[in-house]
Amino acid sequence: MHALKYDFRSDTVTRPGAAMRAAMASAVVGDDVLGDDPTVKQLEARAAEIIGKEAALFVPSGTQSNLIALMIHCERGDEYIAGQQAHCYRWEAGGAAVLASIQPQPLENAADGTIALADIEAAIKPDDPHFARTRLLALENTIGGKILPSDYVLAATALAKRHGLSCHLDGARLFNAAVALGVPAATLAQPFDTVSICLSKGLGAPVGSVLVGPATAIARARRLRKMLGGSMRQAGILAAAGLYALEHNVERLSEDHANARVLAAGLAQLPGLTVTEPQTNIVFVDVEAPIAPDFVAHLAQHGINVVSTYGATRQRWVTHLDVDAKAVDDALSVASEFLLRQQCAPMLFVTHTTYLHRFDKGPRLCTPTIFL
Ligand SMILES: Cc1ncc(COP(=O)(O)O)c(C=O)c1O
C-alpha cells in the first residue's frame, strides 16, 4: 500500500477545508424532519434561487435525488428515457426498477453525450395497453465531463414536451457546464421541470444534493424522501457546507477546468497515450494495452490514483479542489518517467557499442539519464 498523494479518481474525493468546517461547526440547526432547521431551509431557498425554480429539497445523495425525481414524474409501470451512459440508468443500481417499478428505456449516447432526437422520438411508446407509458426524458449535463450543446437541449426537451413527457436534468455537475460556458446555471436548467444538483462533487461539500423544481413537485419529493429514508434531523450541519460551497466554490471550477486542460495537454505529449481533450474537469486517457496495467501500478506506487475501470485500457482523471496546478505538474512528471522509460526499453538490450553509437548521434527520444 503506497501513501496517497494525489487522488484524481473523482471530484467526490474532496475533503472540506477549514472555512467550510467552521461554517458547519457554527450552523444553527433544528429537526429538519419537523421542518425546524433554518440552515437547511436557507440552503433550499438559495439553491432554488440559483437554479431558477420555485422550490428545492436537500437530500443525502445524487442517487436519491435522481430516484425521487423519477418517482415524481413516473408511476409504477411507467418508463423514462435516458442515455445508456446516464448515471440515473447505468450507475444507480437499477434503483428506479427495484424500488419504484419504473422501467428504464435506455438509448445510445453519441460521443458528445447527446441522444439522437430520432431515437428519442422512436422510443416514445404510443398510448396502448401493451406498452409502458413513456413519461419522462432524463438528460445529464455535464455527462462524462462533456457539456450538452444548448441547442440540442432545447430541441430534445421541446420534443419531449410535444409528446407530453416531463424533463429531468441530472445536473450533478451543472455548475461545471455553467462556468465553462460562462452562463448562469439557471439558463441551462430552464428547459427542465426538475433538476438535481450535487454539492459533493466539484463544489467540495462532504455530503448532499438538492432537487429543485415546481413547489408541487418538491412537496411530493419531500414525502418520497421520507419514504426512502433520506430525511435527516439536524441536517443543517451538512447544509451549511452546501451553502458555503454554493457561495465560494462555483466560480473556482474554472481553475479545475484549466488544470484539466494542462493535464490533458501534458499527457497527450507522452508516448502510449491517446487523450480526449476535456471540456470541463474530466480527462479520459486511452493507454496502449501492453503497458496499461503497469502504468496504473506505477502511478499508484507514486501515490497517484486514477480510475482505470473504464475498460482495460481507459483511464479517467478528474481535477478538483484538492488537486492543484502543482499536483498536475507532479503527476505529469511521474507519468512521463514511466512512459519515456517504456519507449526506451528496447534500447536497454542493445550492445554497448550500439548504445554509444546511438548516443554519439546526439539526444534522441531518451535522455541519457534514462539509460543509467
Ligand atoms: C452524473 C452523476 N449523477 C449522480 C451521481 C450520484 O451522486 P451520489 O454519489 O451522491 O449518489 C453521480 C455520482 O458520481 C454522478 O456522477
Side-chain angles (χ1 to χ4, degrees), residues 80-257:
Y80 67 106
I81 293 175
Q84 285 280 1
Q85 304 305 325
H87 206 277
C88 70
Y89 164 62
R90 196 181 186 91
W91 301 92
E92 294 179 3
V98 177
L99 300 168
S101 302
I102 300 168
Q103 162 175 302
Q105 169 60 74
L107 298 174
E108 210 51 51
N109 287 105
D112 64 357
T114 61
I115 308 168
L117 297 181
D119 291 354
I120 295 174
E121 188 140 34
I124 298 171
K125 315 274 188 294
D127 185 2
D128 176 316
H130 289 89
F131 302 124
R133 294 177 303 184
T134 315
R135 290 292 200 202
L136 176 72
L137 173 66
L139 297 179
E140 185 174 315
N141 198 12
T142 63
I143 177 162
K146 283 169 291 204
I147 302 168
L148 288 181
S150 297
D151 52 354
Y152 166 78
V153 171
L154 290 175
T157 50
L159 164 66
K161 281 169 196 166
R162 266 201 316 278
H163 287 273
L165 273 59
S166 300
C167 297
H168 171 67
L169 178 67
D170 178 350
R173 297 185 179 82
L174 183 64
F175 290 108
N176 291 87
V179 167
L181 293 172
V183 300
T187 305
L188 303 181
Q190 195 281 328
F192 296 91
D193 300 294
T194 52
V195 179
S196 171
I197 56 166
C198 285
L199 304 164
S200 62
K201 310 286 182 303
L203 300 191
V207 176
S209 294
V210 185
L211 182 64
V212 291
T216 47
I218 297 304
R220 278 193 70 196
R222 196 170 291 279
R223 185 178 183 78
L224 291 164
R225 181 186 68 176
K226 182 71 192 153
M227 191 186 293
L228 294 169
S231 299
M232 300 176 286
R233 300 291 175 178
Q234 284 70 35
I237 285 201
L238 301 173
L243 270 170
Y244 182 93
L246 287 175
E247 301 312 332
H248 296 93
N249 291 346
V250 172
E251 290 310 321
R252 65 147 307 283
L253 290 170
S254 59
E255 292 169 33
D256 298 342
H257 301 167

Side-chain angles (χ1 to χ4, degrees), residues 227-312:
M227 191 186 293
L228 294 169
S231 299
M232 300 176 286
R233 300 291 175 178
Q234 284 70 35
I237 285 201
L238 301 173
L243 270 170
Y244 182 93
L246 287 175
E247 301 312 332
H248 296 93
N249 291 346
V250 172
E251 290 310 321
R252 65 147 307 283
L253 290 170
S254 59
E255 292 169 33
D256 298 342
H257 301 167
N259 285 337
R261 285 194 296 274
V262 172
L263 177 68
L267 291 172
Q269 300 293 315
L270 298 174
L273 305 184
T274 306
V275 181
T276 308
E277 206 179 317
Q279 293 178 14
T280 55
N281 67 328
I282 301 183
V283 182
F284 283 100
V285 180
D286 291 301
V287 187
E288 281 178 6
I291 58 168
D294 288 348
F295 181 41
V296 178
H298 172 85
L299 292 171
Q301 270 161 21
H302 289 80
I304 294 168
N305 267 6
V306 299
V307 168
S308 54
T309 48
Y310 284 84

Side-chain angles (χ1 to χ4, degrees), residues 20-43 58 232-243:
M20 183 180 277
R21 283 172 192 259
M24 296 171 77
S26 62
V28 181
V29 299
D31 187 333
D32 184 53
V33 183
L34 303 180
D36 289 349
D37 193 305
T39 311
V40 172
K41 282 191 177 29
Q42 203 187 332
L43 170 67
F58 183 45
M232 300 176 286
R233 300 291 175 178
Q234 284 70 35
I237 285 201
L238 301 173
L243 270 170

